[in-house]
């Protein structure tokens, strides 16, 4: 029975990543084959480089096909070069979510979302079921997660996947209500299981997370929302269990392993808001206690508490949109640290679209960015925590547009500041940057000719040095032969400084040609030139290009 289930899972896992209505099996237009093949030749030459970045010459062969059988899409991808070759593995990369009315089945590589504190979208390879007959809904799944701890230190030893345990996951969620008012309860269990004849360098972990979510709407305008999670995390299933703890948790062994490495913690948030048409105001409280972990979600920073006020307002018939958030943040919730940090956090954005000729966007944020999945297990001294302040202005104005000419100006201004908050000064990455760019595309409609000059300045200040680059460039594009042939030429020249001293120049140019006589055939050629005359580092000049032929099957 088990082999039969996995066989069905394999057959369906080659589907596209989107759910498909199984009723489409009866539609003739849903049975077809699409794809193509591409042949390429590459060449490369460098002068002055200590080590070439590419092979002097080489070839590439790529082919792809998508076979559609009703609701099932089966993609195949093949890629070969003079150095290597690969064939896609649909079972590892794809899955299917066929559905019929209120019944949906998940097979293969899938992703679900329960709660930011319980299970937040990590891919699993397994099976799942969603039932949504009405106000009462149920979701259940089980499968295998990728164990992120099975990656060695990429700084010291290079990226290497090491043998590790199978990380199994099971989850269930019950939901009652509609999209504005609902109540959910959910739970996820993650457990490492032994593999035969494999010695892992990490300890087998286990995690049980239970949570609830609530949303209520009062008086058609007042909204209350809440997310709460409770996590029991065991760092080592094989660790010793104290005798006094055995008596307390003896009946809990069927659900979770509890020993000296186990930690229990809470996390959650609550929001009270006023929503009326295009006006939204919210007050939000968020707290993640120390030692809170969930192996079923990406990295969650614990030992942190936020109080924020959020607003969203549309004015002038939605031509002006204001959005912002302001609050305070602190840590050391259990008073175990030697000091407590406080800081103001916030973001703001202004978008103005008065007409089709002009648009302006202004964004600012100083939130701490959390974008880490798992841990580096071999040497955790390389983990760096940063706080970033960003300020960006984007604007575009169409000077004129008539039957003969069209022109506009685009502007981008940025300023950012990255603060390295790690205790290891050797890896200090603090810096500040600022710059702007201006582009002036101009089109002569009679000749279908577009000229796009650009000018930009970028400067970055580090703790021990600063760099600056001033560049000017031009892009020219034009189609020929009823747009069957398109030509694009690009050139850029820049001057560099290091600590306010001249640091040489850099120049690059490219030529792109694409000829498409019909819908099935395409020939292209790309030529690149790059020259960097540097004072602080070795200078280098490179020539690179490729020629491709593509055939499209429809």
């Amino acid at each position: 029975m088990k082999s039969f289930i996995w066989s069905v899972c394999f057959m369906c896992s080659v589907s596209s990543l989107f759910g498909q209505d199984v009723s489409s099996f009866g539609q003739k237009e849903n049975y077809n084959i699409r794809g193509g093949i591409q042949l390429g030749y590459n060449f490369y030459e460098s002068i002055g480089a200590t080590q070439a970045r590419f092979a002097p010459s080489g070839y590439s062969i790529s082919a792809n096909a998508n076979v559609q059988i009703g609701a099932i899409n089966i993609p195949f991808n093949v890629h070969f070069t003079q150095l290597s070759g690969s064939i896609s593995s649909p079972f590892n990369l794809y899955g299917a979510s066929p559905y019929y009315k209120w019944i949906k089945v998940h097979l293969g590589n899938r992703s679900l979302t329960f709660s930011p504190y319980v299970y937040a979208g990590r891919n699993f390879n397994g099976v799942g079921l969603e039932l949504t007959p009405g106000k009462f809904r149920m979701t259940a799944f089980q499968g295998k997660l990728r164990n992120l701890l099975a990656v060695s230190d990429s700084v010291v030893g290079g990226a290497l996947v090491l043998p590790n345990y199978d990380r199994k996951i099971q989850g269930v969620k019950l939901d009652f209500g509609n999209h504005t008012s609902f109540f959910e309860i959910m739970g996820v269990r993650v457990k490492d299981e032994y593999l035969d004849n494999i010695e892992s360098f990490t300890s087998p972990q286990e995690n049980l997370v239970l949570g609830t979510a609530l949303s209520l709407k009062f008086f058609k305008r007042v909204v209350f929302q809440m997310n709460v999670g409770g996590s029991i995390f065991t760092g080592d299933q094989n660790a010793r269990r104290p005798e006094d703890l055995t008596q307390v948790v003896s009946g809990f062994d069927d659900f979770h392993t509890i020993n000296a490495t186990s930690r229990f913690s809470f996390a959650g948030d609550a929001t009270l808001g006023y929503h009326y048409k295009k006006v939204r105001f919210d007050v939000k409280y968020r707290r993640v206690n120390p030692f809170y972990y969930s192996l079923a979600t990406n990295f969650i920073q614990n030992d942190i508490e936020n109080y924020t006020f959020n607003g969203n307002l549309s004015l002038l018939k939605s031509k002006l949109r204001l959005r912002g958030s302001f609050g305070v943040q602190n840590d050391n919730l259990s008073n175990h640290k030697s000091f407590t940090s406080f800081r103001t956090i916030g973001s703001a954005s202004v978008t103005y679209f008065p007409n089709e000729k002009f648009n302006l966007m202004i964004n600012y944020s100083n939130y701490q960015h959390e974008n880490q999945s798992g841990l580096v297990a071999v040497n955790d001294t390389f983990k760096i925590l940063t706080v970033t302040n960003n300020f960006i202005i984007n604007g575009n104005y169409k000077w004129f547009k008539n039957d003969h000419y069209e022109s506009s100006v685009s502007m981008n201004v940025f300023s950012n500041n990255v603060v390295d908050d790690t205790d290891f000064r050797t890896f200090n990455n603090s810096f500040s940057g600022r710059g702007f760019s201006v582009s002036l595309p101009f089109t002569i409609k009679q000749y279908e000719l577009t000229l796009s000059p650009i000018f930009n300045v970028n400067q970055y200040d580090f703790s021990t040095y600063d760099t600056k680059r001033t560049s000017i460039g031009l892009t020219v594009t034009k189609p020929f032969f009823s747009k069957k042939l398109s030509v694009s030429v690009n050139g850029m020249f820049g001057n560099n400084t290091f600590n306010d001293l001249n640091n040489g120049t850099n120049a690059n140019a490219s030529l792109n040609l694409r000829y498409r006589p019909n819908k099935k055939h395409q020939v292209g050629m790309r030529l690149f030139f790059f020259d960097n005359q540097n004072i602080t580092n070795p200078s280098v000049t490179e020539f690179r290009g490729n020629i491709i032929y593509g055939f499209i099957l429809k």
Side-chain angles (χ1 to χ4, degrees), residues 20-23 98-104:
Q20 297 287 344
D21 189 348
V22 296
S23 62
Y99 65 90
Y100 179 73
K101 294 184 178 181
W102 49 268
I103 302 174
K104 178 181 285 189

Side-chain angles (χ1 to χ4, degrees), residues 26-100:
Q27 301 173 5
K28 183 178 180 180
E29 63 271 17
N30 290 325
Y31 292 82
N32 57 65
I33 300 176
R34 296 183 179 182
I37 185 171
Q38 180 173 287
L39 308 177
Y41 173 76
N42 312 299
F43 55 90
Y44 170 81
E45 182 179 354
S46 64
I47 301 174
T50 56
Q51 183 176 1
R53 296 192 301 156
F54 303 96
S57 63
Y59 68 89
S60 63
I61 303 174
S62 299
N64 66 85
N66 185 81
V67 182
Q68 183 176 2
I69 307 175
I72 303 298
N73 293 315
I74 307 176
F76 297 94
N77 294 281
V78 179
H79 181 73
F80 288 97
T81 68
Q82 75 276 14
L83 299 177
S84 63
S86 65
I87 301 177
S88 66
S89 177
F91 180 67
N92 291 331
L93 299 178
Y94 299 96
S97 294
Y99 65 90
Y100 179 73

Side-chain angles (χ1 to χ4, degrees), residues 197-468:
N197 301 322
I198 290 182
E199 295 184 3
S200 174
F201 72 101
T202 62
S203 301
Q205 298 179 344
E206 191 171 346
N207 188 207
L208 177 64
V209 188
L210 304 177
T212 181
L214 174 68
S215 178
L216 298 174
K217 193 171 186 178
F218 305 96
F219 313 114
K220 297 182 180 180
R221 300 179 184 179
V222 179
V223 178
F224 174 76
Q225 295 177 327
M226 180 181 66
N227 272 299
V228 178
S231 171
I232 305 176
F233 176 80
T234 300
D236 185 358
Q237 299 177 26
N238 301 322
R240 183 183 62 86
R241 176 190 290 180
E243 294 183 2
D244 54 348
L245 185 62
T246 302
Q247 299 177 358
V248 178
V249 300
S250 58
F252 200 72
D253 288 337
D254 293 337
F255 301 96
H256 187 82
T257 303
I258 297 181
N259 53 40
T261 66
S262 300
R263 297 291 184 271
F264 179 68
S265 188
F266 282 102
D269 60 67
T271 304
L272 180 64
Y274 177 83
H275 301 173
Y276 178 66
K277 293 184 178 179
K278 298 180 180 180
V279 179
R280 298 171 64 97
F281 294 102
D282 299 312
V283 178
K284 184 174 183 178
Y285 171 74
R286 180 175 183 261
R287 179 187 179 99
V288 182
N289 283 343
F291 307 112
Y292 187 87
Y293 298 100
S294 174
L295 297 177
T297 189
N298 287 329
F299 174 72
I300 300 177
Q301 183 188 3
N302 56 41
D303 191 14
I304 196 168
E305 187 177 42
N306 293 350
Y307 299 85
T308 56
F309 176 79
N310 310 286
N312 193 343
L313 181 63
S314 295
L315 302 172
L316 305 177
K317 297 181 180 181
S318 297
K319 294 179 180 179
L320 176 62
R321 300 177 183 178
L322 308 176
R323 179 177 298 177
S325 176
F326 178 81
V328 293
Q329 181 183 88
N330 65 276
D331 60 0
N332 197 18
L333 304 184
S334 59
N335 295 319
H336 289 162
K337 295 181 179 179
S338 59
F339 63 92
T340 301
S341 62
F342 295 89
R343 75 184 192 97
T344 302
I345 59 175
S347 66
S349 67
V350 178
T351 306
Y352 184 47
F353 290 91
N355 49 57
E356 64 176 9
K357 289 186 176 182
F358 177 71
N359 65 76
L360 178 67
M361 292 180 289
I362 303 175
N363 294 280
Y364 170 80
S365 67
N366 77 331
Y367 279 103
Q368 181 170 297
H369 295 272
E370 302 171 5
N371 189 24
Q372 177 181 353
S373 299
L375 301 171
V376 179
V378 176
N379 192 335
D380 61 3
T381 62
F382 294 138
K383 290 183 298 181
I384 294 175
L385 179 63
T386 60
V387 178
T388 304
N389 295 276
N390 289 314
F391 179 74
I392 301 174
I393 300 177
N394 289 304
N396 183 74
Y397 177 70
K398 293 184 179 179
W399 282 1
F400 55 84
K401 181 179 181 181
N402 53 41
D403 295 336
H404 304 286
Y405 307 101
E406 181 177 348
S407 181
S408 64
V409 55
S410 298
M411 178 188 66
N412 176 273
V413 180
F414 78 92
S415 175
N416 56 45
N417 182 49
V418 178
V419 179
D420 183 1
D421 202 26
T422 181
D423 292 332
F424 299 92
R425 297 295 96 193
T426 304
F427 301 98
N428 188 292
N429 290 324
S430 298
F431 72 91
S432 62
R434 54 194 177 276
F436 71 92
S437 65
V438 178
S439 177
L440 300 166
F442 178 80
T443 301
I444 305 175
K445 295 183 178 181
Q446 179 181 358
Y447 301 104
E448 296 182 317
L449 175 66
T450 300
L451 308 173
S452 300
I454 187 172
F455 176 78
N456 61 62
V457 177
N458 298 316
Q459 180 168 340
Y460 294 94
D461 300 328
F462 296 86
S463 57
T464 57
Y465 66 93
D466 62 80
T467 64
K468 182 179 180 180

Side-chain angles (χ1 to χ4, degrees), residues 113-132:
T113 297
F114 282 10
S115 159
Y117 308 110
V118 179
Y119 172 46
R122 284 199 58 194
N123 282 6
F124 69 91
N125 204 335
V127 296
L129 176 67
E130 282 189 71
L131 303 176
T132 57

